[in-house]
Amino acid sequence: MFKRLPGDEARNLVSTTPDTAVVFRPAVVQTPAFITLVIYAWRFVSALVCTLWRHPVACAVPVALGALWALYGWPLAASVLGLVVLALLGWAFIARDSFARLVGWRLLAWWRLMAVYRRHWQAVMDVSGLARRIHGRAYMPRLVKVQCDGWADRITVRMLDGQAVKDWTDRTDNLAQGFGTVSCRVALIKGGRLMLTFPRSDPLAEPIPALPIPDEPSVGPVEIGKQEDGRPLKLKVHGTHVLIAGATGAGKGSFLWDTIRGLLPAMRAGLVEVWALDPKLMELSFGRELFQGRYAADPADCADLLDEAVSVMQKRAARFSGLQRSHTPTVEDPFVLVLVDEVAFLTAYQPDKQLRQRISAALATLATQGRSVGVGVMAALQDPRKEVMNIRNLFPDKIALRLDESEQVDMVLGDGARDRGALADHISPVHELGAGVAYMRLETSPEPVRVRAAYVSDDDIREMVALFTERGEAA
């Protein structure tokens, strides 16, 4: 009835004693000690070669000091070590940037690798469910390397065969808590490899004062703040459209006024015109002199101004047809930037249906045809739902400030943005901590970037108006 099995005979599995567990003891094959030693020796040699290949400097230093000690005694070795340490300290004080780039961040990366990530790697992978055990064998994602800079650790990871990026994005909280950081972001480098970013500090914790007005007129990317890695934040406005979404008090006005501030020299030179739609009568009205009559607050006036922008766009398209495919700002054909504060009031909450349809049609026309002829739209709103703003996908560049719900993040930045670390719903509601902080997703890069716009105060706006009107009167 039973076939012969390895180990005990099949009849030994049958027991007539009640409540007796059936025990199967398979045959054990003894591995010769010589083969075991060969396996361990091979693992040791391969690990040694990998260590020498990956960390040549770190391995060469102790070997050189040991050789000096053995050949010439410990005083010479200690003297050489002291000279090297003094030289590194002098380098760090004299040229801090180059020292950090070539030595400092690499030492920190090695320390973080050994003290944090490699030490806790197996436990975090097991608890978070990213490791797998199949038929008694453990499969672990591979920690490839660690890179550090001034604000974050970047971990390159090789996924298990068959794993998906979503398996990791669903466990960002587990990874962040496991390695002692406040957040974790996941980005796909190439097939099978991920980049995990663990911030160590927050360069955007403090408000940024208004940036200096540029000296030279330009419609190129305007500097409006700072990115999370400390680099300047430059926003492209010419040749694109920008959608800004955020709850009340999130700092949408900072992005609007920083853009105007960066374009002010070009506005004085006649290369840029800013047309403002301000249905709330609170934000853009403070500097209405900057718009040279292209300002509207009443919904009917807003519709007329948008129709005028469409007319300018269509006339340019007729003149450019067959001659040029992109716009170069000139005094005759300046770049026109249409600023719309609280666009939802005009497209969704406007009680006049005909006016609402007229405004929506004009915005859609500008968003689909305007950027190639030098007409751009920058729109700000609080509620990013589709029924409120049904043309949000026509904006190539999107900015999400503090939002009330996690679902709204993907509404603004696109599907999967929150899984990749755009936690706009976690931005602090405290004005000093969270105003102006946002996640930005550009047309040229699908990965969301955390940024903070500079704060333009009322006095800064008055200064801009005075400077603009003074130059206008002088001209």
Side-chain angles (χ1 to χ4, degrees):
M1 180 176 178
F2 291 99
K3 294 183 179 179
R4 188 89 176 169
L5 299 177
D8 296 342
E9 294 181 354
R11 63 177 177 271
N12 295 331
L13 298 176
V14 181
S15 174
T16 57
T17 304
D19 299 329
T20 301
V22 177
V23 179
F24 173 68
R25 294 189 295 271
V28 178
V29 178
Q30 299 291 338
T31 304
F34 174 75
I35 296 178
T36 303
L37 293 175
V38 169
I39 293 174
Y40 280 109
W42 170 254
R43 290 180 178 176
F44 173 77
V45 171
S46 60
L48 181 62
V49 171
C50 290
T51 302
L52 293 174
W53 176 261
R54 294 179 181 175
H55 311 286
V57 177
C59 296
V61 170
V63 171
L65 291 176
L68 286 176
W69 192 332
L71 295 175
Y72 303 103
W74 68 267
L76 181 60
S79 300
V80 171
L81 178 61
L83 288 175
V84 172
V85 172
L86 289 176
L88 292 176
L89 290 176
W91 184 10
F93 279 104
I94 296 173
R96 180 170 298 180
D97 292 339
S98 62
F99 175 82
R101 184 177 67 256
L102 299 175
V103 179
W105 300 134
R106 297 187 181 188
L107 287 176
L108 180 61
W110 177 82
W111 171 254
R112 298 281 293 176
L113 170 66
M114 303 304 296
V116 179
Y117 298 106
R118 185 165 290 172
R119 176 184 176 188
H120 301 289
W121 186 254
Q122 182 174 352
V124 173
M125 293 298 104
D126 282 334
V127 173
S128 62
L130 293 170
R132 294 288 185 269
R133 297 186 181 276
I134 303 176
H135 301 305
R137 182 176 179 180
Y139 295 87
M140 192 76 57
R142 181 184 170 191
L143 175 60
V144 179
K145 65 178 179 180
V146 177
Q147 296 172 298
C148 293
D149 56 22
W151 70 280
D153 299 336
R154 292 180 172 85
I155 317 300
T156 303
V157 177
R158 183 174 181 179
M159 296 187 293
L160 296 177
D161 293 342
Q163 275 189 335
V165 179
K166 185 171 174 51
D167 295 333
W168 291 75
T169 57
D170 289 344
R171 294 168 174 84
T172 52
D173 290 341
N174 305 71
L175 296 171
Q177 297 301 320
F179 293 117
T181 60
V182 296
S183 65
C184 171
R185 298 172 203 168
V186 180
L188 180 65
I189 302 176
K190 60 179 182 180
R193 292 206 174 193
L194 297 176
M195 175 74 76
L196 307 181
T197 302
F198 296 98
R200 297 191 313 273
S201 61
D202 187 5
L204 307 180
E206 298 293 333
I208 304 172
L211 301 175
I213 298 174
D215 296 327
E216 299 296 329
S218 173
V219 296
V222 293
E223 184 176 350
I224 64 171
K226 187 167 61 174
Q227 300 184 45
E228 190 172 30
D229 57 5
R231 293 183 298 173
L233 168 61
K234 294 186 177 182
L235 180 64
K236 178 183 177 183
V237 290
H238 181 243
T240 188
H241 305 296
V242 183
L243 179 65
I244 305 170
T248 301
K252 296 185 292 296
S254 296
F255 284 89
L256 299 177
W257 283 112
D258 279 318
T259 301
I260 298 173
R261 191 174 180 85
L263 294 175
L264 194 61
M267 294 167 62
R268 295 200 306 259
L271 300 177
V272 173
E273 292 181 0
V274 177
W275 298 15
L277 281 69
D278 188 21
K280 291 195 304 182
L281 279 171
M282 291 300 296
E283 188 67 50
L284 300 176
S285 62
F286 206 73
R288 68 175 65 192
E289 292 88 348
L290 298 172
F291 310 127
Q292 295 182 305
R294 307 291 186 176
Y295 173 86
D298 183 78
D301 295 337
C302 291
D304 292 338
L305 193 60
L306 287 174
D307 288 340
E308 186 177 351
V310 172
S311 177
V312 170
M313 179 199 72
Q314 292 173 343
K315 290 178 181 178
R316 285 187 184 179
R319 285 191 288 111
F320 293 168
S321 178
L323 299 176
Q324 62 185 69
R325 298 174 57 190
S326 59
H327 175 256
T328 301
T330 62
V331 176
E332 293 76 18
D333 291 313
F335 167 55
V336 177
L337 178 62
V338 180
L339 293 184
V340 188
D341 185 36
E342 199 46 62
V343 65
F345 178 79
L346 301 174
T347 60
Y349 306 142
Q350 173 56 234
D352 189 330
K353 182 178 180 181
Q354 292 184 349
L355 202 58
R356 184 171 67 246
Q357 293 176 346
R358 182 180 161 196
I359 292 173
S360 298
L363 283 173
T365 303
L366 292 174
T368 52
Q369 305 175 28
R371 62 176 180 169
S372 61
V373 295
V375 180
V377 179
M378 176 180 284
L381 77 163
Q382 296 183 26
D383 190 347
R385 289 177 298 170
K386 198 74 173 179
E387 56 269 23
V388 174
M389 185 65 173
N390 58 5
I391 60 170
R392 67 189 185 202
N393 291 334
L394 299 180
F395 291 80
D397 298 334
K398 304 176 181 67
I399 299 172
L401 292 103
R402 176 174 55 84
L403 297 171
D404 295 327
E405 302 173 1
S406 59
E407 294 81 4
Q408 294 179 343
V409 179
D410 288 350
M411 293 180 188
V412 179
L413 301 180
D415 292 340
R418 193 180 187 280
D419 291 338
R420 288 192 289 272
L423 304 179
D425 54 310
H426 287 180
I427 296 175
S428 174
V430 179
H431 188 270
E432 292 75 12
L433 299 177
V437 177
Y439 290 89
M440 185 168 64
R441 187 176 184 179
L442 304 179
E443 181 182 20
T444 56
S445 175
E447 296 301 325
V449 180
R450 187 167 176 263
V451 300
R452 185 164 194 170
Y455 174 65
V456 181
S457 66
D458 294 349
D459 292 337
D460 294 323
I461 298 175
R462 292 190 186 98
E463 178 189 357
M464 292 165 56
V465 172
L467 181 61
F468 184 79
T469 54
E470 176 186 351
R471 293 295 180 89
E473 293 174 356

